[in-house]
Amino acid sequence: MANILPFRAWRYNNELSSSIGQLTSPLFDVISQQQRDALYQNPHNSIHLSVPLHGETPDDAHGTIEKWKADGIIEQDPLPGIYVYYQHFSLPGSNKDYTRKGFVSFIEATDWGQPDSEILRHENTMPHSVSDRVEVLKATELNVSPTHGLYFDPAFELEQYMDESMLNPIYETEDYQGVRDVLSVIHDKSIIQKFIDKLGREKVILADGHHRLESSIIYRKELIANEEANTGKEGYNYHMMYLTNGEADDLRILPTHRLISDLENFDKAEFFKKLEPNFIIKPLENPNDVTEIILGKPWAFGLLFGDEAYKVRLKPEVIDHIEWSFPNVIKKLDLTVMHYFIIEKGLGILGKDQRNSRNITFERNFANCLTKTIRGEAQFAIITQDISMEMVKKVCYSGHTLPQKSTYFYPKVICGYLFGSIKNDEFELPFDPGF
């Protein structure tokens, strides 16, 4: 089962930590160009490690890290610990406050392609994004941001220890999402052992960070193949992860919409002719009503063409026409219906080509979808609904995966609170803790 370890994080020195909010940054796959440009102005912002400037190479990132270490910009904690990380947030249109409770540790980067893997994924990855992350990891030997994994504990055995740790926070900031992020650390060996024992009975579902974790898996495989001996204790066997309890009510999965662009000879009327045998199509008066109109309706989507909007809903009798070789739990997903009937049958982009298609991009914000279609930056947008945690679990346990970018677990973790080194001399604990 899941094998986790405490670690000695690299963190900003005490002087810089007093302004930690100016050093954090969004994850590499959600940051906008405008955010990048602003954060790059601070020479010590974590963006320089997670998303190097355009034109910089992974070796440049390595040079930055080594300089920061030599200059004392970041320092390694002297004692190993598990880092407790809480995110306090609310959602638009709701006055309810949520607190997502979790902790950051190292976890063995077992290959999720194996039947006995400790970590289950729910999405496919895009090869070019994985390759980029592998090159950065090879050059830096540093996890600059934690991925997000879910364990499932209905008894909530660990929360009492996390709550106690939060009485003495290390950092507390409000991030770019409007989320209040708080970090503390547990050094007590007996308490850490409770976390290790608990996760040792669990499988973990990866919520966010598929590309980063896959890069760790690939890097580990390469080194094991080239090493004369692998004890399993080397740093490259592990990966930094934020682990939260999937049984809590603070887990929110937001929808990810699709933008379609740069299709040659695209004809809207012809596209609708291809949809008509499979969908009930209804024009809508107000594009801003799309998300409410499709909410809760199976196999229903919104289509935005500039300031025109349509609701399309699959005719129930055609669901069995899907020819892809998937089990029913996958075939009947909204997103499978969208990728098969709208993107493959309607647009002619075959399923096998969709992962790498430059005609399909992803957008979490509905308003951005509407703006981009009105401005002509996209030919049209496909508006989707969210997916439940129960459905994610069913898919994972079936041994299959959802289409890429199916989920958006909110809120995102931030980069900059701590970094995890897999260099052996920095990964090894300074004494034998008995773990």
Side-chain angles (χ1 to χ4, degrees):
M1 292 300 180
N3 180 20
I4 68 168
L5 287 177
F7 70 110
R8 296 188 298 137
W10 284 88
R11 298 190 292 114
Y12 287 103
N13 65 41
N14 288 336
E15 182 179 353
L16 287 171
S17 292
S18 63
S19 302
I20 190 67
Q22 298 176 23
L23 304 171
T24 60
S25 60
L27 298 178
F28 81 99
D29 58 344
V30 297
I31 190 169
S32 69
Q33 188 59 53
Q34 184 178 11
Q35 288 172 316
R36 292 187 193 189
D37 293 341
L39 295 175
Y40 283 142
Q41 301 306 308
N42 185 331
H44 297 141
N45 188 279
S46 55
I47 189 72
H48 293 282
L49 304 187
S50 60
V51 189
L53 278 165
H54 181 69
E56 289 189 340
T57 67
D59 287 337
D60 293 323
H62 169 76
T64 299
I65 291 169
E66 293 306 307
K67 186 175 189 309
W68 284 13
K69 290 178 180 178
D71 293 347
I73 301 301
I74 56 175
E75 300 172 339
Q76 191 171 26
D77 284 346
L79 296 176
I82 280 178
Y83 296 81
V84 181
Y85 181 23
Y86 281 11
Q87 293 183 289
H88 304 272
F89 65 99
S90 58
L91 295 172
S94 171
N95 57 6
K96 182 176 180 179
D97 294 325
Y98 297 93
T99 299
R100 187 166 67 191
K101 301 179 178 183
F103 62 93
V104 181
S105 70
F106 268 108
I107 186 169
E108 189 176 2
T110 54
D111 185 357
W112 50 33
Q114 301 302 316
D116 59 347
S117 174
E118 303 162 353
I119 304 172
L120 304 175
R121 63 173 172 174
H122 70 272
E123 285 186 353
N124 286 315
T125 53
M126 290 175 282
H128 66 275
S129 295
V130 174
S131 297
D132 291 345
R133 292 292 101 190
V134 171
E135 293 308 310
V136 171
L137 184 61
K138 285 181 179 179
T140 63
E141 295 183 280
L142 193 75
N143 290 173
V144 299
S145 58
T147 54
H148 179 195
L150 306 171
Y151 65 96
F152 295 89
D153 174 25
F156 296 90
E157 295 177 21
L158 302 179
E159 277 71 6
Q160 58 179 313
Y161 307 111
M162 293 190 280
D163 286 345
E164 183 177 354
S165 175
M166 273 294 160
L167 297 175
N168 297 289
I170 300 171
Y171 299 140
E172 183 170 349
T173 61
E174 182 175 312
D175 66 30
Y176 70 102
Q177 306 164 103
V179 173
R180 183 162 63 92
D181 302 284
V182 189
L183 187 80
S184 63
V185 63
I186 296 174
H187 290 306
D188 188 302
K189 174 184 172 181
S190 62
I191 301 301
I192 292 173
Q193 191 63 51
K194 294 180 185 296
F195 283 73
I196 293 172
D197 293 343
K198 177 60 188 173
L199 269 293
R201 302 191 296 270
E202 301 286 331
K203 280 187 179 287
V204 169
I205 290 178
L206 189 65
D208 191 38
H210 287 69
H211 295 92
R212 282 171 286 152
L213 179 55
E214 186 164 352
S215 70
S216 289
I217 293 170
I218 291 172
Y219 185 48
R220 181 192 194 198
K221 284 182 176 179
E222 289 182 5
L223 289 180
I224 289 176
N226 294 328
E227 293 280 339
E228 292 185 2
N230 174 62
T231 67
K233 296 182 179 180
E234 296 84 0
Y236 60 73
N237 289 289
Y238 287 83
H239 172 87
M240 187 170 69
M241 185 175 287
Y242 173 49
L243 290 151
T244 65
N245 190 347
E247 298 290 351
D249 68 350
D250 50 26
L251 196 64
R252 291 295 172 266
I253 308 175
L254 305 184
T256 301
H257 313 300
R258 270 58 170 171
L259 290 171
I260 307 299
S261 308
D262 301 324
L263 290 172
E264 293 184 7
N265 304 316
F266 174 73
D267 184 275
K268 176 184 168 186
E270 187 65 28
F271 172 59
F272 271 84
K273 283 184 182 179
K274 292 179 179 179
L275 294 185
E276 284 172 356
N278 299 316
F279 288 91
I280 300 167
I281 303 173
K282 178 182 178 181
L284 304 176
E285 293 183 2
N286 187 348
N288 291 294
D289 293 339
V290 166
T291 54
E292 293 182 10
I293 289 173
I294 67 173
L295 184 64
K297 299 177 178 67
W299 309 327
F301 309 91
L303 300 180
L304 300 180
F305 293 85
D307 57 358
E308 296 181 3
Y310 300 82
K311 171 193 168 185
V312 298
R313 188 173 185 183
L314 190 75
K315 298 174 182 177
E317 62 270 21
V318 303
I319 185 65
D320 292 328
H321 294 181
I322 295 177
E323 297 175 353
W324 289 346
S325 181
F326 291 155
N328 281 336
V329 68
I330 306 295
K331 281 186 177 180
K332 294 185 177 181
L333 290 171
D334 283 357
L335 291 167
T336 303
V337 167
M338 177 190 67
H339 280 271
Y340 183 80
F341 287 105
I342 298 180
I343 298 180
E344 178 167 296
K345 297 303 181 184
L347 297 178
I349 305 174
L350 299 179
K352 65 183 180 63
D353 299 325
Q354 291 177 19
R355 285 176 66 190
N356 297 317
S357 175
R358 300 297 182 178
N359 302 114
I360 307 169
T361 54
F362 307 93
E363 176 58 63
R364 280 91 180 195
N365 187 290
F366 171 82
N368 288 346
C369 289
L370 185 57
T371 298
K372 289 180 179 180
T373 56
I374 290 174
R375 290 178 178 174
E377 296 172 11
Q379 288 165 312
F380 71 96
I382 308 172
I383 304 304
T384 65
Q385 302 185 58
D386 59 9
I387 186 170
S388 71
M389 187 63 239
E390 285 306 308
M391 184 56 68
V392 172
K393 289 168 68 174
K394 284 181 181 179
V395 171
C396 287
Y397 295 144
S398 76
H400 291 78
T401 58
L402 295 165
Q404 67 271 24
K405 299 295 182 183
S406 297
T407 57
Y408 185 86
F409 285 85
Y410 182 86
K412 293 283 189 177
V413 302
I414 57 171
C415 177
Y417 267 5
L418 43 79
F419 312 108
S421 176
I422 58 172
K423 292 180 65 174
N424 279 335
D425 59 337
E426 297 174 351
F427 177 83
E428 291 176 352
L429 302 181
F431 52 87
D432 180 11
F435 293 128

